[in-house]
Amino acid sequence: MNPLYAGLEAGGTKFNCIAATGPNDIRAEARFPTTTPAETLGRVIEFFRRVQAEHGPLAALGIGSFGPVDPNPASPTFGYITTTPKPGWAQADIVGPLRAALGLPTAFDTDVNAAALGEWRWGAAQGLDTFVYLTIGTGIGGGVFVNGQLVHGLIHPELGHILIPRDPARDPFPGFCPFHGDCLEGLAAGPAIERRWGARAETLPPDHPAWELEAHYLALGLVSYICTLSPQRIILGGGVMSQPQIFPLLRAETQSLLNGYIQAPQIIEHSDTYIVPPGLGARAGMLGAVALAENEYQKSA
Ligand code: ADP
Ligand code: ZN
């Protein structure tokens, strides 16, 4: 029998919990609003204890968290959310309380690295060795998988905070990133769309000029990732990307900005399979956490 894994996608607005052996065998799921660390983690613990009572032992726990986080197992603050502006969550220990209460081998990474791993294991990145997973939601974040491994490096990549050109004549909105103003996240995450156009992104019609500008900014980001990481595919998820009209605009704008310089048929002839939505849909993050748990279990076994 396949081991049953616990996956936690810890987000700034909700915590998604899942118990599964893989995407085709999900035994239980729950979501809790992100309130205080003690209350939210308490509900997570209660949920996984109930899962164990009903479905048998869990083999390992994987956590993909909003950040910035400390994903370095050798660090004293491993498993913490570090400098988030979210009230109550700066320097919050996520792994400690869950490991103490559940006693499971526990893996911890960024939410986007987890989602990238999930896409590699079961979704749109199967068989690839270098790719990027990007989410466009309340913020912009990216998971990076290079030469068959998730990238951590100094801390972890921050693909949302790259600095991109903005033409103030075309777009007077100065951006909302508290650190950089008009970085990619400051210009193209959901709240930027809402503030620039005065309406929530999900209420704008598909032919609204917002989407062309959105595709322009995202393409500037993708060009930087393509030129620095040479990804074999780029996967884009998150609330904003549930607008399907962005994808064709984004593919065309990326090609236009690259201007033929990168001579790869994947980009030039097959951009519809190069820039894609997540194969696991909205469950990429949760199932990615399950994939983290699977890796941890195999390491510990
Ligand atoms: P989070 O990033 O908090 O995990 P989401 O990925 O749902 O959650 O991102 C929320 C942001 O995405 C909000 O700014 C919201 O306006 C925007 N959003 C959510 N759904 C849609 C949609 N269908 N179309 C466009 N924008 C959306
Ligand atoms: Zn920024």
Side-chain angles (χ1 to χ4, degrees):
M1 211 175 77
N2 292 330
L4 183 61
Y5 299 109
L8 167 61
E9 181 185 25
T13 46
K14 57 198 179 319
F15 273 40
N16 293 315
C17 303
I18 190 169
T21 64
N24 300 320
D25 180 24
I26 296 170
R27 308 278 176 84
E29 256 184 279
R31 69 171 45 182
F32 308 114
T34 309
T35 56
T36 63
E39 182 182 34
T40 314
L41 294 175
R43 297 183 75 176
V44 171
I45 290 163
E46 196 185 312
F47 170 75
F48 284 124
R49 283 193 174 138
R50 204 172 60 239
V51 166
Q52 291 202 303
E54 285 171 18
H55 300 275
L58 292 161
L61 166 66
I63 304 166
S65 177
F66 75 103
V69 302
D70 183 349
N72 174 8
S75 155
T77 52
F78 167 68
Y80 282 52
I81 291 172
T82 56
T83 54
T84 178
K86 193 174 170 61
W89 289 84
Q91 309 306 328
D93 182 3
I94 306 299
V95 167
L98 294 176
R99 197 150 53 186
L102 299 169
L104 300 172
T106 301
F108 180 77
D109 213 321
T110 61
D111 46 6
V112 278
N113 261 353
L117 187 68
E119 286 294 313
W120 179 77
R121 179 71 175 83
W122 295 299
Q126 292 176 66
L128 303 185
D129 65 37
T130 299
F131 70 96
V132 166
Y133 175 93
L134 206 65
T135 182
I136 324 296
T138 306
I140 295 183
V144 179
F145 192 91
V146 171
N147 294 342
Q149 294 208 315
L150 291 172
V151 172
H152 297 105
L154 180 65
I155 299 172
H156 52 73
E158 286 284 4
L159 299 190
H161 293 271
I162 63 169
L163 304 179
I164 56 169
R166 172 174 67 96
D167 173 1
R170 179 177 180 188
D171 179 19
F173 179 65
F176 79 99
C177 175
F179 293 88
H180 317 113
D182 60 358
C183 65
L184 179 60
E185 174 172 301
L187 291 172
I193 302 174
E194 181 175 352
R195 291 187 206 189
R196 179 183 295 113
W197 302 103
R200 287 184 68 82
E202 52 270 51
T203 66
L204 301 176
D207 59 353
H208 194 281
W211 305 120
E212 211 175 290
L213 188 62
E214 181 70 10
H216 172 65
Y217 287 137
L218 293 177
L220 285 166
L222 299 202
V223 164
S224 291
Y225 312 144
I226 291 167
C227 292
T228 50
L229 298 166
S230 202
Q232 295 154 328
R233 185 164 293 147
I234 299 177
I235 302 170
L236 295 105
V240 172
M241 294 311 293
S242 54
Q243 296 285 327
Q245 70 280 10
I246 301 178
F247 279 93
L249 294 171
L250 178 55
R251 291 173 188 130
E253 183 72 352
T254 302
Q255 285 189 339
S256 157
L257 292 170
L258 283 170
N259 198 23
Y261 180 66
I262 300 201
Q263 284 292 325
Q266 287 90 334
I267 297 177
I268 292 170
E269 287 155 37
H270 308 290
S271 69
D272 52 331
T273 57
Y274 185 69
I275 295 172
V276 299
L280 299 174
R283 286 210 179 90
M286 277 182 266
L287 288 166
V290 169
L292 283 175
E294 182 185 54
N295 278 2
E296 191 67 23
Y297 177 69
Q298 287 165 357
K299 255 195 294 176
S300 71

